[in-house]
Structures are given as C-alpha cells and as structure tokens.
Amino acid sequence: MSLDDFFRIGVTVPIGSHRFEPEAIVAFAGKYDPQPFHLSEETAKGSVFGRLCASGWHTAAAWMKCNLAARIGMGPWDGTGPAPEFGPSPGFSNLKWLKPVYAGETVSYTRTAIGHRALASRPGWRILTLHGEGFDSTGDKVIEFDSAVLVKTG
C-alpha cells in the first residue's frame, strides 16, 4: 500500500492498532474525560459498563495517532503530480461510539477516502473527506466517524 492509496475513493486502508492499557485509560480520563468508569477499575464495577473502559475521546485520539503514523510510514509520494501537503482539519461529523473499549483491549483502525473537492477560496487546495473506523479483537466496530482534512495538491 502506498501514500497514493490514501486518496483513492472507496479504498479502505488499515492504519494501525492501539492497545488500551489501564494506566493510559486512567491518565487520559484524568486529563480529558473524568467519568467514574474511566478513572478506576473499582469505581467502574458499579457503573453501567461494569469495568474500566476507555473514554470515547481516547479511542478517537488513538485513531488520529494511528492515521498520522500510517501516513508518515507509507514512504515517499508515488502518485502523479507534486506530493500532497496536509493542512488543518475543519472538523468531523457522524461520530458514533458503538461499543465500550475495555482495559486491555486492542482496537484496529481503518480509514476510507469518501470524497474530495477543490476549494475555490484556496487555489491548489482540496478538502479530503474520510470515514474512520475502529474494531475490537472480536471484529465488532467500536467507533466510526467522518472527518475532513485540507490538502495542498498544487
């Protein structure tokens, strides 16, 4: 798989996996999402989830980390024209946390380009729309969302 595949509409690209260790779950939650079921195994036992689980924001942040690492790890650009330059993201939509991610679970992430278009306000730039997903070790989808990123292509 090459960096060029990141731009092919409809091609699902595996971007890596992340293991959610208990210590990392608690550390992330302490900074960004201090819900009882994210902060300790003991407290989580009395929650609706029954045991320590990762924040949904943690699962999303792990997707972002994997996406960036995969893009960098693909090596040099082998597509047509100049290498793309990635810019900021204007945001995401359709975020769904479908299943809890428990401590010790490994989530495998993918991304699929679902569209792109030129930006009239920024000549040489396009907006690339992506669909991100994460799956647990049983193959169940735990997170999905659509996001976008600005890409300089000329």
Side-chain angles (χ1 to χ4, degrees):
M1 184 122 345
S2 69
L3 184 59
D4 187 38
D5 289 322
F6 268 53
F7 294 94
R8 294 187 201 284
I9 303 302
V11 174
T12 298
V13 178
I15 58 172
S17 60
H18 181 84
R19 183 172 169 84
F20 289 85
E21 299 294 349
E23 301 80 18
I25 289 172
V26 171
F28 186 96
K31 289 181 183 177
Y32 307 110
D33 193 4
Q35 303 298 318
F37 39 82
H38 301 320
L39 293 172
S40 83
E41 185 69 50
E42 193 59 36
T43 306
K45 285 180 184 176
S47 75
V48 67
F49 297 114
R51 57 186 221 231
L52 184 67
C53 63
S55 165
W57 296 114
H58 194 175
T59 61
W63 181 93
M64 299 285 185
K65 183 177 181 180
C66 287
N67 186 50
L68 180 59
R71 194 172 73 213
I72 291 169
M74 289 293 185
W77 173 247
D78 58 358
T80 57
E85 177 185 327
F86 291 86
S89 171
F92 65 91
S93 62
N94 303 318
L95 174 62
K96 296 175 187 164
W97 291 308
L98 303 166
K99 185 178 175 187
V101 174
Y102 292 105
E105 182 67 64
T106 297
V107 175
S108 298
Y109 293 103
T110 63
R111 67 178 294 277
T112 306
I114 56 176
H116 58 84
R117 64 177 173 80
L119 292 175
S121 61
R122 290 183 155 222
W125 287 80
R126 301 187 74 77
I127 187 164
L128 174 65
T129 307
L130 311 168
H131 184 70
E133 297 177 309
F135 301 87
D136 67 15
S137 61
T138 67
D140 289 342
K141 191 184 303 184
V142 298
I143 187 172
E144 72 176 328
F145 59 92
D146 296 327
S147 69
V149 64
L150 300 181
V151 182
K152 186 174 183 181
T153 57

